[in-house]
Amino acid sequence: MFGVNKTLLGTTVENKSITMNLCLYDVTMAQYEEFLVWLNPQILGRLYIGIKPATDYKNSWFYKAKIGSIGDSTVNYLGQDRYIIELKVVFETQDNYVYHEEPVVSNIDGE
C-alpha cells in the first residue's frame, strides 16, 4: 500500500573551512617571509589530511584547497636573529570530497 523504496533527491556539496594553528620554530625573518610567499592564497593546492599518523609522510588523502585567510602573527625572539612565530591559517576546500592519490607504477624495462 505504501512505498518502501528510498529515493535520492539530490546532494549538496559545500566548501569546508579548516583552521590550523601553525608554529614556526627557530626561523629567521627571511625564512618567515619565504613561508608567507609559499602560502600563496591565489594557488589551489593539496591539503593532505591525517588519516595516517602525522609521522607518515606517504599520506595519500587530500582536499583540494587554498588559503582562505592568514591571521596576525605572534613573534617571540629567541636570540641571534632567530624567532618562534605562531599564526592561524584558514584553508578553504574546493569541495567537500577527499581525494586519494594513487601511486604511479612505471615499467621502465617494458616487461
Side-chain angles (χ1 to χ4, degrees):
M1 190 168 253
F2 294 100
V4 292
N5 294 334
K6 293 182 181 179
T7 303
L8 177 64
L9 298 176
T11 58
T12 302
V13 177
E14 297 179 357
N15 294 352
K16 293 181 186 233
S17 293
I18 300 170
T19 303
M20 290 187 188
N21 294 316
L22 304 179
C23 180
L24 306 173
Y25 180 76
D26 196 22
V27 296
T28 64
M29 279 297 161
Q31 290 171 321
Y32 175 58
E33 290 171 7
E34 288 176 17
F35 174 76
L36 290 178
V37 170
W38 178 75
L39 279 180
N40 186 341
Q42 302 300 318
I43 295 176
L44 181 67
R46 294 180 176 184
L47 177 62
Y48 287 88
I49 58 174
I51 291 176
K52 293 183 179 183
T55 56
D56 186 353
Y57 295 104
K58 296 178 183 175
N59 192 347
S60 57
W61 295 94
F62 63 92
Y63 286 105
K64 290 181 183 176
K66 66 178 217 143
I67 302 298
S69 66
I70 300 173
D72 292 335
S73 301
T74 303
V75 179
N76 296 300
Y77 184 67
L78 285 176
Q80 300 180 355
D81 295 326
R82 308 300 283 190
Y83 300 88
I84 298 172
I85 302 173
E86 299 175 46
L87 66 154
K88 183 183 290 188
V89 178
V90 178
F91 295 91
E92 298 291 334
T93 64
Q94 179 180 345
D95 46 45
N96 64 357
Y97 301 113
V98 177
Y99 295 90
H100 186 258
E101 181 176 58
E102 296 293 332
V104 177
V105 178
S106 64
N107 189 350
I108 298 173
D109 296 332
E111 298 174 0

